[in-house]
Amino acid sequence: MSLRKKLIAGNWKMNKTSPDALTLSKEIVAELGKVIDVEIVVCPPFTSIETVGKVVDGSSVKLGAQNMHPEASGAYTGEVSAPMLRALFATHVILGHSERRAYFGETDAFINKKVLAAIKNQLKPILCVGETLAERESGSTLKVVQTQLEGGLVGVSKDDAASVVIAYEPVWAIGTGKVATTEQAQEVHAFIRSLLAKIFGDAIAQKVRILYGGSMKPSNAPELLAQKDIDGGLIGGAALETRSFVDLVNAAIAAK
Ligand code: 13P
């Protein structure tokens, strides 16, 4: 049994209108609202954060956002800040997702500012790292992951480090149905934990949850979640349906 509580986070991406988010979150709370053995986070789009926040209030399901701007306020049209998310009772925020890196040009330096702003505002960052297929095929997976991890965590204190969650999401496995093998995933997770130990010391590295993301579903979750350094999942497609999300949480309970 691991020291670390398993965490299953649903990244709804740009899916679900507010009414649809209301339905999905109500179903999730009805099925999982009393689960305490596994930490559960749902991350709807900004437009339904408030709605979903009201549904999960009073349950064990937590609320996360998918992104935020590093500044607290100001002339940043279209952006949302950490204090705005906190005011809606979000507790987590996904930062540096590969889709934001690829489609919105987010750099490690910019993601790092967001990580620090999240921590300053008592939001737990879920910092995403992961290589593309070309990077894996050229043998640079670990180097890419190291650069993203170290770049994202600059200036994070030892005291704050244990509250950070890392998500390893190989880009080639996201939404493709191609899941990393358990060996591929465990190798990178163990590498991430060794880097965390170098930066923050082993005691803290043992506390940080490292999630796997990329075509995780109820059928492949048990094997992934049984790995020593895989502490949960950041789920895309399978988080959009109540049944598969519940089954994933159950797999995490069984793997605890
Ligand atoms: P899929 O589970 O749809 O592959 O998405 C993974 C992901 O990107 C979660 O952030």
Side-chain angles (χ1 to χ4, degrees), residues 11 13 97 99 169 173-175 213-216 234-237:
N11 175 8
K13 306 193 180 184
H97 193 280
E99 288 148 17
E169 300 205 311
I174 295 177
S215 298
M216 196 165 174
L234 182 55
I235 321 294

Side-chain angles (χ1 to χ4, degrees), residues 143-241:
K143 190 171 173 298
V144 168
V145 166
Q146 178 165 7
T147 302
Q148 293 177 347
L149 187 83
E150 290 175 350
L153 294 176
V154 173
V156 173
S157 72
K158 279 192 177 192
D159 285 348
D160 291 325
S163 74
V164 175
V165 176
I166 308 296
Y168 169 57
E169 300 205 311
V171 177
W172 48 272
I174 295 177
T176 57
K178 279 189 207 153
V179 67
T181 65
T182 47
E183 293 76 20
Q184 285 172 327
Q186 168 58 28
E187 182 200 10
V188 180
H189 282 236
F191 176 68
I192 290 171
R193 200 172 309 284
S194 75
L195 293 173
L196 293 171
K198 267 193 212 143
I199 307 171
F200 301 113
D202 192 50
I204 288 166
Q206 291 303 327
K207 289 189 185 155
V208 175
R209 266 90 55 90
I210 308 174
L211 314 183
Y212 171 80
S215 298
M216 196 165 174
K217 45 186 185 277
S219 59
N220 57 34
E223 206 182 324
L224 287 161
L225 293 170
Q227 302 302 304
K228 182 167 157 277
D229 291 294
I230 301 185
D231 306 312
L234 182 55
I235 321 294
L240 296 174
E241 304 258 338

Side-chain angles (χ1 to χ4, degrees), residues 102-120:
Y103 307 140
F104 304 98
E106 292 199 8
T107 62
D108 290 325
F110 189 50
I111 294 161
N112 177 238
K113 285 188 188 168
K114 299 184 187 206
V115 168
L116 296 175
I119 291 171
K120 190 170 156 208

Side-chain angles (χ1 to χ4, degrees), residues 7 37 39 60 75 98 117 177 192 217 244 249:
L7 194 167
D37 291 348
E39 197 170 342
S60 58
S98 62
I192 290 171
K217 45 186 185 277
S244 47
V249 171

